[in-house]
Amino acid sequence: MNYSQFLETLTKEVRERTDPTASIHISRIQKMNLPAIDGMTILLPGENTAPAIYLDSFYQEYLDGASVPRLAEKILTFHSENRSTGHCDLSFYTDFEQAARRIVCRLVNYEMNQLILEHIPHCRFLDLAIVYYYEMESSAFGHSSILVRNSHMEIWNVDVRQLHAIAIRNTRILLPYQVGTMDMLEETTQVPLPPRDPDAPHLLILSNEQLCYGAVNIIYDDILRALCAKVGGDFYVLPSSIHECLILPICSWNDKAPQKLQDIVKEINQKYVSIEEVLSNHIYRYNHDAEKLIQVTP
């Protein structure tokens, strides 16, 4: 079977094995840093939310010899383990006054996400883009979020400037920033770094208390100024993932540092970070005189 035939056959098999009144749909889903992929949702009676089950890996399993009935059972097992039972009230999301209190911002790679950025509000930042999410608070969803799209902006009748201001404020409140040390880096990424001058200030990690999407904190001028005071001067920023950035005092490195540090970032992205969590292959430098973060070209 080709891919289209596989999707049709798999959907039929899933339908035969679940509640006959269930609503089963396959749609194209665009994820950050990745091409669009097909996802299946299974809505049972009385439910209005369901986890998306990505189908690319299932097709590869089929090509490797797995039977369609076996794959259908895997899909139903995943759905059973991850579904939110009952009807979740999502009416709040059409009311901007209610939704606005939990809208936050994240950083993503601009070039890798140009297609999806055409359909979502965003602001450019260096070689990156600031995008916006609604942080869910219902226990029925666990830790999840909704990407804010242009269609939401039309419903809310707000512009990007308004959205950005609200998200900037909320991110500081809902996801407070955190500065860690080398120990934290070794625990979370196990990334090997070159030897550092033992007399220089320690390498720091900028993230948030949840260690989740914490790289966005490099957009805050006051946080950058605080880091400058902490390390005693200018510093490099290495975007090690969407979740954190490494802060290296410039006095720790020689004149060959930019190229060496950019090579480190590329190695981190290739060996230690999933494609979905890559932020950038470039490094940045904070200039304390200009109070500005700039992209470094080795």
Side-chain angles (χ1 to χ4, degrees), residues 33 107-108 212-216 240-244 276-279:
N33 292 2
L107 275 179
V108 299
C212 189
Y213 300 104
V216 72
S240 52
S241 82
I242 56 175
H243 301 302
E244 77 287 311
E276 298 98 319
E277 297 184 336
V278 168
L279 184 55

Side-chain angles (χ1 to χ4, degrees), residues 82-203:
N82 292 276
R83 60 186 279 247
S84 299
T85 59
H87 188 281
C88 296
D89 182 11
L90 299 177
S91 61
F92 70 89
Y93 203 57
T94 61
D95 182 348
F96 186 65
E97 288 189 7
Q98 293 189 59
R101 61 193 177 87
R102 295 195 65 84
I103 292 174
V104 298
C105 50
R106 298 177 185 173
L107 275 179
V108 299
N109 185 282
Y110 179 81
E111 185 174 352
M112 296 175 69
N113 294 291
Q114 289 189 45
L115 289 178
I116 191 171
L117 289 173
E118 293 178 2
H119 305 286
I120 64 175
H122 64 279
C123 291
R124 286 295 304 270
F125 180 79
L126 302 171
D127 61 326
L128 311 172
I130 303 170
V131 297
Y132 310 97
Y133 284 79
Y134 178 89
E135 285 285 310
M136 301 295 294
E137 58 182 334
S138 170
S139 59
F141 293 95
H143 181 76
S144 58
S145 56
I146 301 173
L147 175 64
V148 176
R149 298 182 177 273
N150 291 340
S151 57
H152 300 136
M153 303 281 284
E154 294 175 4
I155 294 172
W156 294 335
N157 193 29
V158 297
D159 58 28
V160 177
R161 182 177 299 181
Q162 293 171 284
L163 187 71
H164 182 81
I166 289 169
I168 287 288
R169 181 195 66 212
N170 287 347
T171 303
R172 300 291 297 269
I173 297 170
L174 300 176
L175 304 166
Y177 86 96
Q178 174 179 274
V179 178
T181 63
M182 185 68 175
D183 292 337
M184 176 178 157
L185 175 66
E186 292 175 342
E187 291 175 3
T188 57
T189 65
Q190 299 180 350
V191 175
L193 292 174
R196 178 186 59 83
D197 181 350
D199 297 324
H202 291 294
L203 175 150

Side-chain angles (χ1 to χ4, degrees), residues 247-263:
I247 307 300
L248 287 78
I250 288 186
C251 61
S252 302
W253 305 87
N254 58 33
D255 292 338
K256 296 180 181 179
Q259 185 60 61
K260 185 183 294 185
L261 295 178
Q262 185 158 296
D263 290 343

